[in-house]
Amino acid sequence: MSDSSPARAAAPVLDVWCELQCPDCRTALEDLRALRARYGDRLELRLRHFPLEKHKHAFAAAQAAEEAAEQGRLWPYVETVLGRVEELDREGEPFLVAVARELGLDAEEFDTALIDGRHILIVDADQAEGKAIGVTGTPTYVVGGERLDGGKSQEGLRARIEEIVDRLLAERG
């Protein structure tokens, strides 16, 4: 694929290590929305999966999020599931499929993806990478080579992320 536009440095990346059954990640949604509103496509926000063993539906939810990404609706799906953590706790996989249906996605494909495990490798790879860089809980952010742990407290984290992103954008010119 050839691109005749001048070479443009890639946008800074904010990796968000998250788990869709995590109340702290739900709290972080407000920060993620604010960051998307502030930076738009000048910041690449990447969801990284870090399902915790204490949440029995988190691994399935991570796979479902990957299916939503494949169907082009990652963030609407993630935000809907996180906004209704109690329903996920109660209902498990049927809830994940129901959310897909609510959002107009191919719910049968979600169901099949959860059965055939087509997204397990992506989730496992994210989790392994997270462990390798010291992620222990969610949400954890990595931007500009710096890891910020939001699992203990999210106080001041958005300001710190903005500070790093602003610096990275200024360095790009």
Side-chain angles (χ1 to χ4, degrees):
M1 183 165 96
S2 72
D3 184 38
S4 56
S5 62
R8 201 172 89 89
V13 173
L14 172 61
D15 279 330
V16 183
W17 300 87
C18 180
E19 171 287 33
L20 299 189
Q21 204 176 345
C22 168
D24 290 332
C25 289
R26 174 173 54 195
T27 305
L29 273 179
E30 194 178 310
D31 285 343
L32 295 178
R33 283 188 195 111
L35 289 165
R36 282 209 311 266
R38 176 173 174 164
Y39 295 107
D41 62 3
R42 294 180 308 137
L43 174 66
E44 184 185 342
L45 205 57
R46 260 192 335 210
L47 178 72
R48 305 300 299 274
H49 302 290
F50 203 76
L52 302 168
E53 283 179 26
K54 66 181 177 182
H55 293 136
K56 67 179 179 187
H57 304 299
F59 195 78
Q63 293 176 69
E66 281 303 313
E67 183 57 35
E70 216 159 86
Q71 294 189 32
R73 300 289 307 277
L74 174 67
W75 287 107
Y77 187 83
V78 165
E79 290 190 14
T80 302
V81 172
L82 276 174
R84 294 160 62 188
V85 168
E86 296 81 7
E87 287 176 75
L88 176 57
D89 286 345
R90 250 190 342 267
E91 299 168 30
E93 290 187 21
F95 169 72
L96 297 170
V97 175
V99 168
R101 190 172 293 112
E102 283 171 26
L103 293 174
L105 298 169
D106 184 338
E108 283 66 38
E109 204 53 43
F110 268 77
D111 201 30
T112 304
L114 289 170
I115 292 165
D116 72 19
R118 68 183 73 158
H119 302 298
I120 286 175
L121 288 176
I122 294 169
V123 176
D124 282 346
D126 272 3
Q127 198 165 28
E129 186 181 330
K131 284 179 180 166
I133 64 166
V135 174
T136 56
T138 57
T140 296
Y141 307 92
V142 177
V143 61
E146 195 169 327
R147 189 178 77 237
L148 306 164
D149 181 1
K152 292 173 184 63
S153 167
Q154 295 179 51
E155 193 62 43
L157 272 186
R158 185 167 86 208
R160 182 71 189 117
I161 291 167
E162 288 173 350
E163 197 179 290
I164 295 167
V165 172
D166 288 345
R167 186 192 73 227
L168 293 170
L169 289 170
E171 287 169 3
R172 281 180 40 190

